[in-house]
Amino acid sequence: YYAAYLSKVAYRQTRGRDLIDYGISQGERLRLRDPEHVRNLINLTDLHRIHGNSRRSKQMLEEAAALNPGHPSIGELRARLGL
């Protein structure tokens, strides 16, 4: 989780596209091992949104919302995705 999250933080500072790819890769690996890790799903939602993959981003968001509908980041990401 932290590797993926820190990749997003570093991307915001450098705009290095490879950091987003790395973050997605690490987040998806964690998702395979722990599919109910809500913070990872939320982070993957944002990483896929930044990457431009809105379909995958929406899928990750719905998985996170199903597990924890009251998480404060879910409403914010829904607004960013126009849902």
Side-chain angles (χ1 to χ4, degrees):
Y1 166 75
Y2 290 109
Y5 178 76
L6 291 174
S7 293
K8 183 172 69 173
V9 171
Y11 168 78
R12 287 181 179 155
Q13 294 176 353
T14 65
R15 298 292 183 211
R17 192 72 166 174
D18 57 327
L19 292 169
I20 292 298
D21 294 335
Y22 178 76
I24 289 172
S25 173
Q26 294 302 306
E28 292 288 355
R29 292 174 87 184
L30 175 59
R31 184 174 167 268
L32 290 173
R33 289 175 180 80
D34 187 1
E36 295 183 0
H37 193 293
V38 174
R39 290 188 315 173
N40 183 55
L41 292 170
I42 289 170
N43 190 51
L44 275 171
T45 297
D46 206 25
L47 287 167
H48 281 294
R49 181 189 63 81
I50 293 167
H51 195 264
N53 189 350
S54 63
R55 189 173 128 246
R56 184 72 173 155
S57 183
K58 290 174 186 176
Q59 180 184 7
M60 295 292 102
L61 183 60
E62 292 310 313
E63 287 182 28
L67 293 168
N68 187 352
H71 196 286
S73 296
I74 290 176
E76 178 185 327
L77 284 168
R78 279 196 171 137
R80 285 185 183 183
L81 291 169
L83 300 176

